[in-house]
Amino acid sequence: LSAGVCCCCAALRPRYKRLVDNIFPEDPKDGLVKADMEKLTFYAVSAPEKLDRIGAYLAERLSRDVVRHRYGYVLIAMEALDQLLMACHSQSIKPFVESFLHMVAKLLESGEPKLQVLGTNSFVKFANIEEDTPSYHRRYDFFVSRFSAMCHSCDHDPEIQTEIRIAGIRGIQGVVRKTVNDELRATIWEPQHMDKIVPSLLFNMQKIEDIDSRIGPPSSPTGGEKEENPALLAENCFRELLGRATYGNMNNAVRPVFAHLDHHRLWDPNEFAVSCFKIIMYSIQAQYSHHVIQEILGHLDARKRDSPRVRAGIIQVLLEAVAIAAKGSIGPTVLEVFNTLLKHLRISVDFELGDRRSSAGSATFSTSSKESDERIVQNAIIQTIGFFGSNLPDYQRSEIMMFIMGKVPVFGTTSQSLDTSHLGDLGTRRIQIMLLRSLLMVTSGYKATTITNALPPPFLDPLLSPSLMEDSELRQLVLEILHNLIDRHDNRAKLRGIRIIPDVSDLKIKRDKISRQDVSFMKKHGQQLYRHIYLGCKEEDNVQKNFELLFTSLALTTIELANEEVVIDLIRLAIALQDLAIINEDNLPMFNRCGVMALVAAYLNFLSQMIAVPAFCQHVSKVIETRSLEAAYFLPETIFKDKCNLPKSLEKHEKNLFFLTNKIAESLGGSGYSVERLSVPYVPQVTDEDRLSRRKSIVDTVSIQVDILPGNNTEDKIDNTEEITFEALKKAIDNNGLEEQEKEKRRLVIEKFQKAPFEEIAAQCETKANLLHDRLAQILELTIRPPPSPSGTMTITAGHAHYQSVPVYEMKFPDLCVY
């Protein structure tokens, strides 16, 4: 009877429950009953409205079996759920999915590793199913938290630990895939989820033994490697996550990386940090690269008070990021990158000098260590600036050159945007050197079509100002930057070192015909270049490298910018340098005087062979040959040796040791050169740069030389030169009682005649002469008394103008101011 009642009760149960019960065998070891599973699947497909009830009943049985530790039936239930999910794709599957996720959650909450792995595998299968309609209420917060916790498993059994971590990573990968394909995919990018997902992946990525093997674009490992290696699986999941990031959620995915690196102190050493950001830059879409760079800059600002090595590690990461971003689109962050780096450069110098001042002369190890660490930061900043700038397109690079040059502090001005007022002279000098070093790297490889594009006036003037500084390293950097910009045919390497070149043709110099734009540039700014070369030779702290760079400057100017007029100017400059060494008004050391003489010899030897005038080459060669026999210290091969016997004076040397203006003029005149200007000695311009560069004004150190007899030899110039110094002129002006206004007017007139092009001055003088001539004639007419008879006529002659006889009463005079 009881059996009959049981049979009756079983017959009265709903059909879906009977079908579910039939799939479970008496012994769980036998596995799922396939025939009954097919019946259940057919029933679920035929009556999809029953799916939610099927799912709820399966969940009920699974929960009971989990509590009772009947894990065999748990496996059968999950297998049945997986098959039902794969077979049913309809709107009615939504309630079934809720039951399914509830069962997966039960498995993940259990402490049994096998059940956690089982639940993860089922969730991954579910994540790969594309649902017909989106779910507006389903959330995966629990699964994100649980899978992230599994990624940090610390089970005492290494095999179980690895298995759980792999399951957690695969679970996160499933959540990412499921949510990014969902209409509500923005929910996964919320900070509370990213703060769990990203550190979990990075935690496992740290276990990679060979970090360098992971750097670069995504690799294609085999399926077995993915499943067995948590680090490799985590990296691929991380790449996939970043690859799916969009404009609005990119920052949420990157910021947790900084938090993880900070928390685990991975900026020093920063190998893992560099590898992480290389993965990020290669994985994201190229147009979003500037987001990552902005985040790095922001984090650098946030950690500006940290240790130097931490800041250097962040800057190194920035270098690697911009190295990749420079190849693609970097958007509006170009100036922001440079502005932030220059700000941190100033901060680093401030820290270094602050530590030095606090030590107050005590050379402790900690202080010296801090200084060396700050140097690491500064070098990293310079390297980043230079590398980033050198990889930009030319139009952006020219803007960056102007931007950096505008940051270089100049003594005597307060308009610089990079505040160095509190750093003092030493700190300002350090900033100047480092900014010029970074500018040198930016200009490396820059090839402008015209020299005007490479050296526009707003850039040329502030660039040449440091060449007047009383610091040899600053002057060297300026000259090297000029070489980068002037050398458009890569000839600089062939000219390296100062020497007497036997045959210039062996160098195989590359050059083009000078363009019209370059001719115009030299007319406007050539004197400015000559002036800085001239003054650069006068510095007492010049060493061999300074003379080598000055020689290269003259040679590159000859190759790239010299026409016949420029050649004459360069020869005048060379002769002026020779006179500078002989007369020695600045009391230069003998080494410097001989160095200047050697520089002139090396350059005129190069120039004579470049223009190929036989008589000029013969004169230069004869002087060099005579020097090699009688005064070898006038040649670069001798004077720049470590042990060179210097002469006691240069005044008693014979004229055959010097390059003579009259012989040069004679040799060039025979070849068609206009040599009239060779008789006019070169005198550098007077500008305000001397005041800004904190050196003695040129008018105090360079006298104005006036030739009494044009075309004199060098030895005649020494004896027959009238010197009118600035002090003498000032005294004469004061004695005449001129007012300050008159002084300013004279200064402006002199400056205009020094800087303005010759054609402009000539045209203006001609216009003023004509106007003065007309006014003089009118004044003469005003002073003549009219004759008594109205019919009288008169003739007026003024200068070269002759006015015909006209009736006096017909003359009409405007109101004139008679001076």
Side-chain angles (χ1 to χ4, degrees):
L1 178 63
S2 60
V5 172
C6 292
C7 291
C8 292
C9 292
L12 294 174
R13 298 181 67 190
R15 185 180 179 186
Y16 72 90
K17 287 188 176 182
R18 286 183 279 133
L19 291 173
V20 170
D21 291 337
N22 291 338
I23 66 173
F24 291 94
E26 293 183 4
D27 187 357
K29 295 181 180 180
D30 295 338
L32 182 67
V33 181
K34 294 183 180 180
D36 291 326
M37 186 63 214
E38 292 177 358
K39 295 178 183 179
L40 178 61
T41 303
F42 179 77
Y43 176 77
V45 173
S46 303
E49 68 277 3
K50 300 293 186 179
L51 267 175
D52 58 334
R53 299 183 184 182
I54 295 173
Y57 185 62
L58 276 171
E60 180 184 346
R61 289 201 55 154
L62 184 137
S63 299
R64 186 171 62 247
D65 293 335
V66 169
V67 172
R68 296 176 180 178
H69 301 284
R70 300 169 62 180
Y71 298 139
Y73 289 119
V74 172
L75 296 176
I76 294 173
M78 291 307 301
E79 185 179 356
L81 284 170
D82 294 341
Q83 292 190 22
L84 289 174
L85 276 176
M86 300 301 294
C88 302
H89 298 283
S90 66
Q91 296 182 1
S92 301
I93 200 175
K94 301 302 178 186
F96 175 76
V97 169
E98 297 301 325
S99 300
F100 169 78
L101 294 178
H102 177 69
M103 287 183 280
V104 172
K106 284 286 186 181
L107 296 179
L108 296 177
E109 287 178 337
S110 67
E112 184 63 32
K114 292 183 179 180
L115 296 185
Q116 293 179 0
V117 174
L118 177 63
T120 302
N121 294 337
S122 296
F123 183 85
V124 171
K125 294 178 183 178
F126 162 71
N128 293 327
I129 297 176
E130 295 184 5
E131 300 182 48
D132 297 334
T133 57
S135 175
Y136 295 100
H137 63 281
R138 190 185 307 154
R139 296 187 64 85
Y140 299 94
D141 299 14
F142 168 79
F143 295 99
V144 170
S145 300
R146 189 58 192 162
F147 287 137
S148 299
M150 292 170 63
C151 290
H152 293 83
S153 173
C154 296
D155 194 277
H156 62 278
D157 188 342
E159 294 184 0
I160 295 178
Q161 180 188 104
T162 301
E163 189 177 13
I164 295 177
R165 287 187 179 184
I166 289 176
I169 297 169
R170 294 180 64 241
I172 289 178
Q173 194 172 30
V175 172
V176 171
R177 290 177 179 176
K178 190 63 179 177
T179 52
V180 295
N181 292 326
D182 200 323
E183 292 293 332
L184 298 180
R185 57 182 174 272
T187 57
I188 195 63
W189 297 106
E190 294 176 356
Q192 63 265 28
H193 299 320
M194 287 292 104
D195 290 344
K196 298 174 183 177
I197 292 175
V198 173
S200 301
L201 298 176
L202 295 178
F203 176 76
N204 286 275
M205 289 169 59
Q206 285 179 247
K207 304 302 179 180
I208 299 179
E209 296 180 0
D210 186 7
I211 294 178
D212 293 336
S213 65
R214 302 269 56 84
I215 296 176
S219 57
S220 299
T222 62
E225 291 177 348
K226 289 182 181 179
E227 297 296 332
E228 296 176 1
N229 192 340
L232 186 58
L233 184 62
E235 181 188 328
N236 282 277
C237 182
F238 188 53
R239 292 181 185 272
E240 184 177 350
L241 174 68
L242 295 169
R244 296 174 183 269
T246 59
Y247 180 85
N249 48 50
M250 174 60 65
N251 293 341
N252 291 339
V254 175
R255 286 171 185 167
V257 178
F258 294 104
H260 180 81
L261 297 175
D262 290 342
H263 180 71
H264 293 276
R265 299 179 181 179
L266 297 174
W267 294 112
D268 177 33
N270 67 339
E271 288 81 2
F272 180 72
V274 170
S275 67
C276 281
F277 278 92
K278 282 191 173 183
I279 291 173
I280 292 172
M281 297 302 294
Y282 280 118
S283 300
I284 63 175
Q285 301 180 45
Q287 63 268 29
Y288 303 146
S289 297
H290 62 279
H291 280 285
V292 180
I293 296 176
Q294 286 176 331
E295 290 296 324
I296 300 175
L297 293 174
H299 195 68
L300 181 60
D301 286 336
R303 303 298 299 271
K304 63 183 179 182
R305 297 284 179 184
D306 281 30
S307 66
R309 290 190 176 273
V310 170
R311 287 181 280 127
I314 300 174
I315 295 169
Q316 180 66 27
V317 167
L318 178 63
L319 172 62
E320 299 294 341
V322 298
I324 300 172
K327 301 174 183 177
S329 172
I330 51 178
T333 59
V334 177
L335 290 180
E336 183 181 355
V337 170
F338 287 99
N339 196 34
T340 303
L341 290 174
L342 294 179
K343 179 180 68 176
H344 283 276
L345 185 64
R346 180 188 58 79
I347 292 173
S348 177
V349 173
D350 193 12
F351 285 162
E352 180 185 358
L353 296 179
D355 294 336
R356 184 177 300 177
R357 287 191 293 266
S358 63
S359 63
S362 60
T364 60
F365 175 78
S366 59
T367 301
S368 61
S369 177
K370 287 182 179 179
E371 290 182 4
S372 62
D373 289 345
E374 289 295 344
R375 295 291 179 93
I376 295 175
V377 176
Q378 295 160 15
N379 291 333
I381 292 175
I382 293 172
Q383 186 180 9
T384 304
I385 290 175
F387 187 85
F388 193 13
S390 61
N391 280 276
L392 292 174
D394 287 344
Y395 73 92
Q396 279 188 324
R397 201 192 305 197
S398 60
E399 294 178 359
I400 295 304
M401 289 160 50
M402 296 283 292
F403 181 78
I404 297 177
M405 199 66 245
K407 297 286 186 178
V408 177
V410 178
F411 291 111
T413 62
T414 58
S415 59
Q416 301 299 323
S417 54
L418 192 64
D419 183 20
T420 59
S421 57
H422 64 288
L423 296 179
D425 291 352
L426 179 61
T428 301
R429 177 187 175 275
R430 289 289 307 281
I431 291 291
Q432 288 173 331
I433 289 178
M434 287 184 286
L435 288 180
L436 290 176
R437 284 176 55 194
S438 62
L439 186 60
L440 177 64
M441 296 185 67
V442 172
T443 57
S444 178
Y446 181 61
K447 296 292 187 298
T449 54
T450 63
I451 196 64
T452 305
N453 295 336
L455 292 170
F459 178 75
L460 179 63
D461 294 338
L463 174 64
L464 292 180
S465 294
S467 69
L468 301 179
M469 298 288 183
E470 296 178 342
D471 188 288
S472 61
E473 187 176 359
L474 280 173
R475 299 196 302 273
Q476 292 171 11
L477 289 171
V478 171
L479 291 174
E480 289 177 339
I481 293 170
L482 279 176
H483 298 169
N484 282 344
L485 298 174
I486 295 176
D487 184 18
R488 291 170 289 180
H489 297 86
D490 298 324
N491 292 312
R492 181 175 38 171
K494 305 171 185 177
L495 301 169
R496 184 170 293 127
I498 180 171
R499 63 196 186 280
I500 302 297
I501 303 174
D503 190 353
V504 174
S505 61
D506 293 341
L507 301 180
K508 297 181 180 180
I509 299 292
K510 298 179 182 178
R511 63 185 305 190
D512 294 329
K513 185 178 180 181
I514 183 171
S515 64
R516 185 177 302 176
Q517 293 87 347
D518 293 345
V519 172
S520 177
F521 174 85
M522 291 303 292
K523 286 184 177 180
K524 293 180 180 179
H525 306 288
Q527 294 299 325
Q528 199 172 0
L529 293 175
Y530 307 150
R531 173 180 186 266
H532 287 269
I533 293 175
Y534 181 87
L535 296 179
C537 294
K538 295 177 58 176
E539 298 295 341
E540 294 184 3
D541 60 342
N542 280 341
V543 294
Q544 179 178 351
K545 184 177 181 180
N546 291 88
F547 288 110
E548 290 178 353
L549 294 174
L550 289 166
F551 167 74
T552 306
S553 300
L554 290 168
L556 289 176
T557 303
T558 305
I559 296 170
E560 298 286 347
L561 303 170
N563 56 6
E564 291 187 4
E565 182 178 350
V566 174
V567 167
I568 297 299
D569 286 336
L570 289 170
I571 294 175
R572 291 176 59 221
L573 174 61
I575 297 300
L577 291 174
Q578 180 178 256
D579 294 343
L580 168 69
I582 297 174
I583 300 173
N584 195 26
E585 291 182 343
D586 298 279
N587 296 321
L588 294 176
M590 185 57 66
F591 169 79
N592 295 65
R593 298 172 68 184
C594 293
V596 172
M597 297 291 284
L599 169 65
V600 173
Y603 173 64
L604 289 181
N605 171 70
F606 176 82
L607 176 63
S608 63
Q609 296 185 56
M610 288 296 294
I611 63 177
V613 176
F616 186 25
C617 293
Q618 184 177 2
H619 172 64
V620 172
S621 299
K622 185 176 180 180
V623 172
I624 292 175
E625 183 179 355
T626 305
R627 288 185 177 185
S628 62
L629 296 175
E630 302 179 11
Y633 40 78
F634 283 168
L635 298 178
E637 289 81 358
T638 302
I639 186 60
F640 295 123
K641 288 182 178 179
D642 293 336
K643 295 181 180 180
C644 175
N645 296 323
L646 299 176
K648 296 182 179 180
S649 65
L650 304 183
E651 285 72 16
K652 298 182 180 180
H653 285 77
E654 299 294 334
K655 66 178 182 179
N656 57 357
L657 294 176
F658 305 135
F659 301 99
L660 305 180
T661 305
N662 60 342
K663 291 190 176 182
I664 295 176
E666 181 182 349
S667 61
L668 293 179
S671 298
Y673 281 82
S674 178
V675 296
E676 290 79 8
R677 288 189 302 119
L678 282 178
S679 60
V680 181
Y682 169 77
V683 178
Q685 298 175 347
V686 179
T687 69
D688 291 335
E689 291 177 352
D690 303 280
R691 176 180 60 83
L692 299 179
S693 60
R694 287 185 120 188
R695 75 192 300 275
K696 292 183 293 182
S697 177
I698 181 177
V699 292
D700 291 334
T701 56
V702 180
S703 62
I704 303 175
Q705 298 182 355
V706 180
D707 277 325
I708 298 177
L709 296 175
N712 285 345
N713 295 340
T714 302
E715 65 273 13
D716 296 332
K717 288 183 182 180
I718 299 175
D719 299 329
N720 300 321
T721 300
E722 179 182 356
E723 295 189 4
I724 306 176
T725 64
F726 177 77
E727 294 297 331
L729 290 174
K730 182 178 180 181
K731 183 176 180 181
I733 292 174
D734 292 338
N735 291 338
N736 292 332
L738 294 178
E739 301 294 336
E740 291 297 328
Q741 186 176 2
E742 292 292 335
K743 296 179 183 179
E744 181 66 18
K745 188 181 297 184
R746 288 174 180 269
R747 189 188 69 80
L748 293 175
V749 171
I750 293 174
E751 184 177 353
K752 183 172 184 179
F753 272 82
Q754 288 176 333
K755 291 185 176 182
F758 176 76
E759 293 80 1
E760 180 182 343
I761 296 174
Q764 189 172 4
C765 290
E766 183 178 0
T767 302
K768 289 186 176 182
N770 293 336
L771 181 60
L772 180 62
H773 185 274
D774 294 341
R775 287 188 177 182
L776 179 60
Q778 292 174 346
I779 292 171
L780 291 175
E781 292 177 74
L782 284 173
T783 58
I784 298 176
R785 300 283 183 179
S789 172
S791 60
T793 60
M794 59 188 304
T795 300
I796 301 175
T797 302
H800 297 289
H802 183 77
Y803 298 88
Q804 298 297 327
S805 299
V806 295
V808 176
Y809 60 81
E810 294 181 1
M811 292 183 182
K812 296 181 180 179
F813 305 105
D815 294 334
L816 297 176
C817 295
V818 181
Y819 292 90

